Amino acid sequence: MLATPAALTAQQTPADLVDPFVGTLADFGQLSPAAVAPFGMMQLGPDTSPANHAGYDHAATTLLGFSHTRGVGVGCGGAGGDLMISLRYADKPGPARIDKRSETARPGVYRVRYDGGILAEMAATRGAGVLRFTLPRAGTVDLRIDPRHSYSKRLAASWASLASDDLRADLVAGTVCDQGAYHLHSASRILVNGRPIHQRLTTGANDLATLHIAGKAGDAIEIRTGLSTVDGRGAASVRDTEIGSKSLAAVASETRAGWNRVLGRVVPSGSRGQRALFYTSLYRVMETPVAIDDPDGRHRDNGGAVQTSPKGRTRYTNWSLWDNYRTQMPLLALLQPERSADIAQSLVALYAGGKAQWSTPNEPFLTVRTEHAGIALLDMHRKGIAFDAAAALAGMAADSDTLKRGTPDEQIEAAYDDWATAELARDLGRTDLAKKFTAKAQSYRPMWRSVFQTPGADGDVVKARGLYQGTLWQYRWAPIFDLPWMTQTVGRDRLLGELHHFFDAGLFNMTNEPDIQVPWMFAALGQPQATADLVRTILTKPIAHPYTNSGKLPVPFVGRSFALSPQGFADGMDDDAGGMTAWYVFATLGLYPLVPGEPWYVVTTPAFARSDIDLGKGRTLTIQRSGPEDGRITQASLNGRPLPNYRVQHADLLRGGTLTITTTVTTATRIVPQLQDVAAKTPKHGASRPR
C-alpha cells in the first residue's frame, strides 16, 4: 500500500480503486487525501498553503505540515487540523515544496516527497496514526509540533507532557462554523529508526514544541499518535492498543483490509473508471460518523461527561445531519445495518440532556449539526434497526419546542421533524401523541399554499424571505413527507407540469441538498422515464450549475456533478459528510430513499448492468439491468414480481434475490426535462489526475 500505483497487483480490490484525491481541488467537494480508517476519528494528512476547508488544496505546492483531524466536506471553514507536525532540515530556507509527482494516497495511507527529497508516509487506524519521515541526506532536522494549529478557532492548547516517549497535549477548538467547541487529547511517541530517543522537547512562542535531531541519510523518524475524547491516558491507550509496535506497512495493510470489508459489500460490474468513482464515493460515505470509544469503552458525551459504552456497543459522533439525513444515513441503514444500531443509539443519547441543533461547548469531537436526527431515527426504526425507540420518541417530542419556525423553510423543516415524531408515536402505539404531532406537522400547510403553491417574483432569489440556502422554487418540494397532500392540493397533472418547468427553466440546484430529491419525484408521480433520464444525465454529463449557497451566478458553471478527478464536484458543491456521494451511490444502484422515514425506495435504471449487495446473514441482493442504460424503462420487478409503481419496500429487499429493471431500445421522441446550458462557459479545471 505504500508503493506507487504501478506496483499494485493486477487483482485490484475495492480499496485499490478508491482515489482520495477526488474532490480535493479548491472548493470542489472540500475533501482531503488524509489517511483514515472506516468511521475513524484519526484523519492524518497534509496541510498546504493555500488550503481548502480540509487543510489541503490539490493545486498547492507549498507544504505546511501534517495534522491529525479534519471534517469531511462540511462547509464553513471546516474544522480540525489538530496537532500539526512538520520536519525540515535546519539549513533549508524558504517554504517547503511538494513534489507533486511523488504524491499518492489510498484508503488509510498517504505518501509524498517534499523539500528536496524528504519522504513522508502515514497510515491511520480508527483513533491512531503513524507518521514516518525518511531522510534523504545527513544533517540536523527540526521536528516541530504545533498544538495551536486549527482550521477553525483555537480556544486552548496545553502540553501535559513534553517527553518524546509520551508527548501529551490537551486541545480545545471551535467546531465547524465555530458553533460550539470540541475537546481532544493526544498522546504521541517519537522514534528514530524504530527506537525511543528519551529526549524532552522544548517549547517556544504559541506553545510550539521543537526537537533537534542529528540525522543520517536513510534515517526514519516516526511519530505515533493516539487520540481520545477522555484524557491523555485514554489517548496513550488508543495509541498502544491500535498501533503499538506494528510497522507502518502492517498498519496500512490492516486498515486496507478494513476498507475492503465495508466497501466490498457492494460489487458492481462496469468499467474500471465507473467502479473507481463508485468506490471513491462509497469511501466518502463511510468516513462518518466517527467511532470515539477508547479501548475500555470510555468516551465523553456532548455535555462533557465521561460515559462508558456497554460491551459490544460503540459510541459515534461527528454529525452533519441537516446535510446527510436524506441520503447517507439511509445508505448506512441498507449497507451497514449492524453499525447503524450503534449510530441510532448514539443519536438517542443526544436527547438525554436536551439536544442542541448545532454543537455544544463540550463536544467530544468536531461536529456540525444534528437537525433531523428524529427523521433518521424513524427511518432506521422502520427498517428494523434496533435502538431505544421509546427514549428517542420522548426526546423528539421535547425537541419540537426548540425548533425554529420563523421563515418558510424553517416551518417546513420543523413540520418534517414533527411528522417523524407523530409517525414514531404511531408505531409505538402512542395514538394520543401521534394525533397531537400530526396536527402540529400539518400546520405548515396554509403557509405552503400561500408562499410555495405559486412562487412569486422572488421565487428564484437565493435566500429570499429569509431562506437559509436556496430559493422558494427549490424549497417548494421540501415537504416530501407530505407528497400525497401536495399532489391532491395542486393536482397530479399540474404538479408534473410544474416539475418539468422546474428543470426546463434551470431552477434545479444539484450543488446543495434542499432539492436533490426532486429528480426522483417524477417516478413517484407516475413518470419513471423522466426520473431515469434526469438521473442518467446528472450521473454522466456536464450540466449547468447556476447556484451557490449565497446567490445565483451571472454565468452558470457547467461541468460534471460527480467526476473521477481532483475537481470531482461542481463549483461550490460540498460533499457534506457523504450527503452528496451517498446520492451518487444510490443513483448508480438505481434506488433512492425518496421519503426518509418511510421504508421504501424509488426504482430507476441503474448505471451498472449488475450489482451484488451483501445484506448479511447469508443474503444477497442482485440489482440487474436488462437492456441499454439509455433505453426506455419498461418494467421493474423483484424476484419476478412486477413493481407497478416503481417502488420497492426495504423489507422486501432485505430478503434478497434479484431486482430487475428492464429497458428497451426506442427511437420514439422523449420529452426529457432539461439540465444543460450550452451557452454557459465550460470550466478550465478538472482534468483527470495522472494515475
Side-chain angles (χ1 to χ4, degrees), residues 259-270:
W259 275 113
N260 278 323
R261 281 193 295 274
V262 297
L263 297 174
R265 294 186 77 159
V266 186
V267 181
S269 63

Side-chain angles (χ1 to χ4, degrees), residues 286-332:
M286 295 192 178
E287 286 186 64
T288 55
V290 305
I292 60 169
D293 286 339
D294 291 349
D296 60 3
R298 294 190 307 156
H299 60 267
R300 289 191 188 270
D301 62 21
N302 65 337
V306 176
Q307 308 285 354
T308 301
S309 294
K311 188 174 181 179
R313 306 304 299 266
T314 301
R315 180 55 50 89
Y316 288 83
T317 190
N318 185 228
W319 310 111
S320 190
L321 292 174
W322 184 91
D323 303 293
N324 63 23
Y325 81 93
R326 304 167 177 84
T327 54
Q328 192 243 15
M329 285 288 163
L331 188 57
L332 294 182

Side-chain angles (χ1 to χ4, degrees), residues 41-113:
M41 62 192 294
M42 172 64 70
Q43 289 245 5
L44 179 51
D47 291 283
T48 63
S49 178
N52 71 16
H53 303 66
Y56 172 91
D57 189 334
H58 188 267
T61 57
T62 297
L63 179 71
L64 300 178
F66 305 92
S67 60
H68 294 72
T69 60
R70 59 209 76 222
V72 185
V74 290
C76 289
D82 292 296
L83 210 68
M84 187 175 74
I85 298 177
S86 62
L87 182 139
R88 300 191 68 193
Y89 284 98
D91 59 359
K92 190 74 173 178
R97 296 297 182 187
I98 300 170
D99 177 3
K100 294 295 291 185
R101 295 171 300 175
S102 72
E103 191 177 32
T104 60
R106 284 291 182 267
V109 295
Y110 173 84
R111 180 181 189 268
V112 70
R113 290 187 185 274

